[in-house]
Amino acid sequence: MVVALIERPIEQPERYERSGSVLSRWLGRLAEFLGWPIFWVVLVVVLLVPTACFLILAVSPRLFDQGSAWFTVNAFREALTGVTLQGMADSLVVGILAALLAVAFAILLAWLLQRTNVGGRRLWSISIWAVLLVPSYIIAVGWQVVLGQGGVLAAVGLYSPIYTKIFFGPVGYTLVLAIKGLPFAYFAVAGSIAALGSSFEDAARVHGGGRLTTLRVMVPMILPSIFAGLIVVFAESIADFGTAAVIAPNAHFPIATYNLYVALSSYPANFGVAAVIGLMLVAAVAVALTLQKRFLKSRSYAVLGGRTRSAKQTRLTLRGQLIALGVLVVVFFVALGVPILGALVSSMLKPFATLSLRNMTLSAYRGLFGISGLGSSLGFSFKLAVLNGFLALILGTVIARRLSRRGTKLIDKLLDVTVLAAIALPGLVLAAGYIFAYNLPILSSLGIDIYGTVLILIMAYLAGALPSTTRVLAGPLAQVKGSLLDAGRVHGAGLTQSWWRCAIPLLGPSLLWAWLLTFAATFLELPASELLAPPGTQPVAVAIISVLGKSNLSQGTALSIVALLIDLGMIIIISLLFRFLAPKGWRRLGANVL
Amino acid sequence: MMQRNRFSRVLKVGLALAGAASVLAACGSSSTASTSSTTKTAAKTPVVPLVVYGAEGYAPAVAKGFQQATGIPTEMVNHSTGTLLAKISAEAENPQWGVFWSDGSDAYAALDQQHYLLRGFEPTTGTLTSLGKSLVPADGSYIPTGITIAAAYVYNSKVTKNPPTSWSSLLTPAWKGAIGMNNPAISGPTYTAVASIMQQQGGVTQGEAYFKKLAANGLHIYSTNKVTLHALLAGAIKVALVQNSAGIGFAFTSPDLKVAYPDKSALLPGVIGIDGKAPKAEIAEAKKFADFVYSPKGQALMLSGDPHGDSLFYPIIEGTKAHSEVPNLKNIPTDYPNPIVWGSREATINAWFTNNIVQ
């Protein structure tokens, strides 16, 4: 396992050594010599260079042939006024609110699903994945269809313009972002809550603590995960574009990503202003991360060790069951039910018809069979998503472990900044950065012509996935006690082996989620696919957009639904395989999440 | 000696990394392989792949037909005008496209001012109508291929019996909160409509005042044609100001949709530009491509490639007829804002629109 590289070597007694051939020893030396450099080269090439290129553009447009000035602060002057500045402020406020809301509900869900015997746990777990997969614009459109004139509420005589007014504003905006953030927050905290074991809880109880005291004991233990959740949701929210595209134009509520999109879409594109907005988004997450670091540095949160026992489930009373189920039904109706209802209605309702079963038709779905080239789009995106899942998992684990160590060196700080830079950068900026970085004439003259190839698309997918994969893994990895690995090594296991046999089983489910998360996000990724896919190829998201652009709107929606079902089907199959095929130890802790 | 065990572990790690790197490299080499194979063919005959950046719905069909007719390998990059322009801007000095084909001459005029486009080429395979000739720029930097109308009034004839007839009527209480249009900063064709309205109002200042009044009357802004039309279908607005071909196209699936035209609406030419910085062989192919578009075969493919969308245009080549669903252009009062004047104002007007009307 690659993680082994980042552990400090422990001097081993001679008697535990095993023999190895001269060849493997030499190869080993070579690998040690090349290991970290390869890791850094991959990181720099995939993430640092494209991001930096776009951000440098803000001050030096001439470098990239986007203006006459070698150095200018005009873009800052332009971006730090009026609507652009207001948009930044709005984004920060809704980002913070959405993060708090998402994490609060994530903790509630995680406790219900991990630590109680609430009914239908598997169904609810799959629903969380479904929320993750539904793109934010579909959530926004779904709510719009339900609340709008001629929508679902109007069909039952409950339409009021007040709903639409509330929805097209800060409230609706925060709601959609919180829904979109819920799965990220859940994945960040659920693993810790599941793996925590009940010994701490029991201890609090034994010492006479009531429910509130127990909560006070428990919450600080999962603080790293809570912070991880808050940061991921905050960063994803301020960088989200789908919600902005649907809500911002009609809300008269400026939002940073919408301003950025407008700056990039106009002709001639204002890359300078887009870069400054990107920089400010990055800075916002940097501040949040610094606060998190300062807070977490004060003590250790390593609680997962060899003695951790899996938690006992709380058996709910009948009344408890009913209340818990009620909460779950409401949460998932808001997060998933309404958007799905909205999407189904817009894919099936005949135009201008009132909402009733008679006016529903499946013709849009039948029409999908006639779209040529769709099969190859699905196959293309599927292959790249599987590949990217593994690449992001390997690199993400290494980075997450490195970030979770205390007492960081300068290079670790650099790593941190690199990864956080990308998490707050909207996909469009990253994709445009790739063009600036890899289409420089100097590269062509050196014979490096990777722009316009599949390779550059894979690199961009990896760069897009790494930040969130890393953040999701950071919480669980921070909880692995160093003593656990030491124990493994005292018993004669090597570094790799002690990781493989002691730590990985604890992390198994988290690693699997991270892979699935990357797979799902890559399968339907849009901005990089649009700007970087080589001529003649069409990733799924681009195919959906092109069908939506034709006169048949319902067909576009139908295709989105089918693509989502494929995505979700894959997740169900993989998690079932994990359930039946993974070693028992891997499934023991936290496996309920799947 | 003590480190032997560690080496074997590090070896595994190294191999894992090398494996990942080789996967990356393999993907790279597969594409490099394809490039080198095309380079090999290039050595035998002067044929390079022609890259077409096309936003027109019929562009893929025409590109395919062109490849079949000439044997020139044609690679299509089919996205919205905005995405393609962003790509072209970002590619700047190292352009990857040979042909760019989209609606609206304003952006081409601006591209020409930055010396991106090949000048002085006109296809000879077809004769332009007099209207077509009037769209050819003086320096021959782009090639008009057809016409649509930048903003028409699209409405639900069952709900709206008397659609608006002029730009000024949109300001009346009858249309309060009932009108929807695209953001010109995102939808390329909409900029031409905004330019035309401003010109008709008497200039940029008067135009800005008009749009402020329209916003005060509850104007809705969406991103692109399809989103605005979706809002119309869902009943959120009563009239959509969109490109007429999109409205006529949507009427195929929603027959209650009707299209009306304001007192004066903007002509929106479909335009081909050739990359002046492309290699000589690709420029030669791009010229052949433009020739093919003007030929009867190319015209037929334009008319059939996107039957419920962009194919509903007004042809400007003698002998080519528009579809019967498209109303006679002679009955529509039109306007053509000078692309050289209005093209250079695009960025500032779009920024103003976003800051004052959208938000």
Side-chain angles (χ1 to χ4, degrees):
Chain A
M1 195 61 204
V2 189
V3 185
L5 264 182
I6 61 187
E7 287 298 318
R8 252 167 293 146
I10 295 173
E11 293 288 329
Q12 281 190 334
E14 237 172 86
R15 62 180 182 278
Y16 289 128
E17 288 208 5
R18 285 169 212 156
S19 58
S21 72
V22 178
L23 178 71
S24 78
R25 221 160 63 203
W26 273 100
L27 280 175
R29 275 193 192 139
L30 189 71
E32 186 183 37
F33 187 66
L34 289 177
W36 271 114
I38 288 178
F39 166 76
W40 278 107
V41 165
V42 170
L43 200 69
V44 165
V45 164
V46 160
L47 205 55
L48 196 62
V49 167
T51 310
C53 280
F54 196 90
L55 299 182
I56 290 170
L57 188 73
V59 288
S60 185
R62 179 79 184 268
L63 259 183
F64 301 94
D65 220 23
Q66 297 298 325
S68 54
W70 285 108
F71 180 82
T72 169
V73 287
N74 274 348
F76 282 87
R77 219 173 280 154
E78 209 179 320
L80 293 173
T81 50
V83 171
T84 335
L85 189 64
Q86 181 64 43
M88 199 61 220
D90 291 347
S91 282
L92 294 181
V93 174
V94 291
I96 292 170
L97 292 177
L100 291 173
L101 202 61
V103 169
F105 275 94
I107 293 173
L108 179 68
L109 284 188
W111 183 76
L112 282 176
L113 299 182
Q114 302 295 321
R115 305 293 295 273
T116 74
N117 65 336
V118 67
R121 282 212 311 258
R122 208 157 304 166
L123 173 77
W124 303 121
S125 301
I126 290 171
S127 303
I128 291 174
W129 275 101
V131 178
L132 177 76
L133 298 184
V134 179
S136 53
Y137 77 90
I138 287 195
I139 299 179
V141 166
W143 271 92
Q144 195 186 343
V145 167
V146 169
L147 296 176
Q149 258 171 332
V152 178
L153 279 184
V156 290
L158 284 176
Y159 172 75
S160 156
I162 298 168
Y163 304 143
T164 26
K165 201 159 189 185
I166 293 176
F167 181 73
F168 283 107
V171 175
Y173 209 92
T174 310
L175 176 75
V176 175
L177 290 179
I179 292 173
K180 202 51 213 155
L182 185 65
F184 290 103
Y186 178 81
F187 294 137
V189 298
S192 324
I193 289 180
L196 203 50
S198 43
S199 49
F200 304 102
E201 218 171 306
D202 296 342
R205 288 285 174 103
V206 165
H207 287 86
R211 271 191 194 160
L212 204 66
T213 321
T214 315
L215 203 67
R216 278 225 303 272
V217 172
M218 306 299 290
V219 167
M221 281 189 213
I222 55 165
L223 265 184
S225 305
I226 291 180
F227 273 114
L230 282 173
I231 300 248
V232 174
V233 179
F234 173 68
E236 293 276 344
S237 297
I238 59 172
D240 180 90
F241 171 68
T243 321
V246 178
I247 298 182
N250 266 315
H252 301 286
F253 178 60
I255 276 291
T257 39
Y258 188 76
N259 291 334
L260 193 150
Y261 178 53
V262 167
L264 283 181
S265 334
S266 300
Y267 190 80
N270 197 339
F271 289 112
V273 165
V276 174
I277 297 176
L279 261 179
M280 290 196 288
L281 294 175
V282 170
V285 175
V287 171
L289 265 173
T290 314
L291 289 177
Q292 176 205 24
K293 274 257 162 75
R294 189 161 287 183
F295 203 86
L296 292 186
K297 243 184 182 171
S298 53
R299 49 186 158 152
S300 164
Y301 292 87
V303 286
L304 285 189
R307 290 176 162 209
T308 310
R309 291 198 195 125
S310 57
K312 270 183 292 181
Q313 276 185 355
T314 308
R315 293 200 69 80
L316 295 171
T317 57
L318 183 65
R319 210 183 71 169
Q321 277 281 3
L322 287 178
I323 294 174
L325 282 174
V327 168
L328 288 169
V329 167
V330 169
V331 168
F332 282 105
F333 180 73
V334 167
L336 202 59
V338 169
I340 288 178
L341 195 65
L344 282 177
V345 165
S346 43
S347 70
M348 289 161 72
L349 188 66
K350 291 174 190 162
F352 299 130
T354 47
L355 195 62
S356 76
L357 271 184
R358 254 181 307 132
N359 288 330
M360 294 290 188
T361 163
L362 284 175
S363 64
Y365 290 88
R366 283 194 291 270
L368 289 182
F369 296 106
I371 301 174
S372 65
L374 193 58
S376 64
S377 287
L378 288 170
F380 179 75
S381 288
F382 186 84
K383 270 187 258 171
L384 291 198
V386 168
L387 174 67
N388 195 34
F390 287 112
L391 295 179
L393 192 64
I394 294 170
L395 269 180
T397 310
V398 178
I399 300 171
R401 180 64 183 169
R402 209 173 163 130
L403 292 182
S404 68
R405 284 196 317 188
R406 297 197 291 153
T408 48
K409 291 185 232 155
L410 183 69
I411 199 147
D412 292 316
K413 281 183 186 154
L414 181 67
L415 179 66
D416 208 2
V417 169
T418 311
V419 175
L420 82 91
I423 198 169
L425 273 187
L428 264 176
V429 171
L430 192 65
Y434 261 82
I435 302 184
F436 288 120
Y438 293 108
N439 192 43
L440 284 173
I442 188 170
L443 284 182
S444 295
S445 58
L446 289 173
I448 305 171
D449 279 315
I450 55 172
Y451 177 62
T453 65
V454 180
L455 174 63
I456 200 129
L457 189 61
I458 293 172
M459 285 162 62
Y461 281 163
L462 178 61
L466 260 187
S468 47
T469 313
T470 308
R471 290 290 156 205
V472 165
L473 287 173
L477 277 165
Q479 284 187 314
V480 174
K481 277 184 181 172
S483 65
L484 179 68
L485 300 169
D486 295 346
R489 302 190 63 188
V490 164
H491 287 85
L495 192 55
T496 319
Q497 222 188 351
S498 66
W499 260 99
W500 183 250
R501 302 207 23 205
C502 307
I504 298 296
L506 290 173
L507 295 169
S510 300
L511 293 174
L512 184 67
W513 305 338
W515 185 88
L516 287 172
L517 180 78
T518 312
F519 170 84
T522 311
F523 188 66
L524 290 175
E525 200 278 346
L526 181 62
S529 309
E530 216 174 0
L531 283 180
L532 300 173
T537 57
Q538 205 177 35
V540 172
V542 178
I544 292 176
I545 292 291
S546 96
V547 172
L548 270 172
K550 309 255 175 198
S551 57
N552 205 332
L553 275 173
S554 45
Q555 201 169 57
T557 323
L559 183 54
S560 320
I561 290 176
V562 170
L564 286 177
L565 285 177
I566 293 173
D567 227 352
L568 189 60
M570 179 72 180
I571 286 163
I572 292 173
I573 289 169
I574 295 285
S575 47
L576 282 178
L577 286 179
F578 180 81
R579 194 162 268 278
F580 293 115
L581 298 181
K584 208 174 170 195
W586 287 46
R587 282 175 281 149
R588 198 168 65 87
L589 292 173
N592 290 337
V593 182
L594 292 169
Chain B
M1 167 174 181
M2 48 142 288
Q3 296 294 357
R4 209 185 284 164
N5 202 8
R6 196 169 135 235
F7 282 146
S8 73
R9 274 171 260 128
V10 175
L11 169 72
K12 286 179 202 161
V13 173
L15 287 178
L17 271 179
S22 66
V23 171
L24 279 171
C27 299
S29 63
S30 69
S31 49
T32 332
S34 69
T35 329
S36 63
S37 71
T38 45
T39 329
K40 262 180 215 160
T41 18
K44 282 178 213 155
T45 50
V47 173
V48 295
L50 173 66
V51 179
V52 179
Y53 281 16
E56 304 283 7
Y58 42 68
V62 178
K64 205 172 157 193
F66 172 70
Q67 180 167 331
Q68 280 166 357
T70 60
I72 295 169
T74 310
E75 290 174 346
M76 186 73 218
V77 179
N78 190 205
H79 294 301
S80 68
T81 311
T83 303
L84 293 175
L85 278 170
K87 247 171 111 79
I88 288 172
S89 306
E91 287 168 7
E93 281 296 288
N94 195 18
Q96 302 290 322
W97 54 284
V99 167
F100 174 40
W101 195 3
S102 72
D103 280 336
S105 46
D106 307 295
Y108 288 80
L111 282 171
D112 182 40
Q113 280 162 8
Q114 296 172 64
H115 310 287
Y116 278 96
L117 302 176
L118 178 83
R119 289 177 177 166
F121 172 75
E122 281 181 59
T124 49
T125 43
T127 313
L128 281 173
T129 60
S130 55
L131 179 60
K133 279 179 191 149
S134 72
L135 301 172
V136 177
D139 64 356
S141 57
Y142 56 85
I143 300 147
T145 58
I147 292 174
T148 51
I149 301 291
Y153 297 150
V154 183
Y155 60 99
N156 176 2
S157 57
K158 282 209 169 150
V159 176
T160 307
K161 302 292 177 199
N162 301 306
T165 49
S166 66
W167 293 116
S168 55
S169 66
L170 298 183
L171 302 177
T172 59
W175 301 108
K176 191 169 174 55
I179 310 292
M181 69 178 286
N182 314 335
N183 183 349
I186 293 172
S187 153
T190 306
Y191 173 70
T192 306
V194 168
S196 161
I197 294 168
M198 286 188 160
Q199 180 166 280
Q200 290 175 55
Q201 298 297 319
V204 175
T205 321
Q206 295 91 327
E208 288 177 353
Y210 173 81
F211 278 107
K212 280 197 165 168
K213 281 185 217 155
L214 202 56
N217 204 29
L219 176 72
H220 294 265
I221 306 287
Y222 304 96
S223 51
T224 51
N225 286 334
K226 55 159 199 210
V227 186
T228 310
L229 284 166
H230 200 195
L232 176 69
L233 293 179
I237 50 171
K238 285 182 187 154
V239 176
L241 305 185
V242 291
Q243 196 176 353
N244 75 329
S245 50
I248 301 168
F250 269 63
F252 279 92
T253 38
S254 317
D256 291 335
L257 277 188
K258 293 281 179 278
V259 183
Y261 296 85
D263 35 3
K264 235 186 194 182
S265 47
L267 290 177
L268 182 72
V271 170
I272 283 180
I274 296 174
D275 174 12
K277 291 174 186 159
K280 269 186 189 165
E282 194 169 6
I283 289 183
E285 290 168 358
K287 288 178 176 173
K288 282 186 193 163
F289 183 83
D291 277 334
F292 179 75
V293 170
Y294 271 33
S295 74
K297 176 76 186 151
Q299 291 288 301
L301 286 169
M302 276 175 74
L303 284 169
S304 62
D306 185 16
H308 295 176
D310 289 333
S311 288
L312 300 160
F313 67 98
Y314 294 105
I316 49 169
I317 302 292
E318 299 275 8
T320 312
K321 275 198 185 129
H323 285 287
S324 56
E325 296 83 4
V326 183
N328 196 333
L329 191 56
K330 281 183 184 139
N331 303 330
I332 302 171
T334 56
D335 175 46
Y336 185 57
N338 184 344
I340 296 174
V341 175
W342 290 92
S344 57
R345 293 176 181 164
E346 185 163 354
T348 38
I349 289 180
N350 282 345
W352 176 88
F353 197 94
T354 303
N355 291 348
N356 293 279
I357 306 300
V358 180
Q359 290 169 339

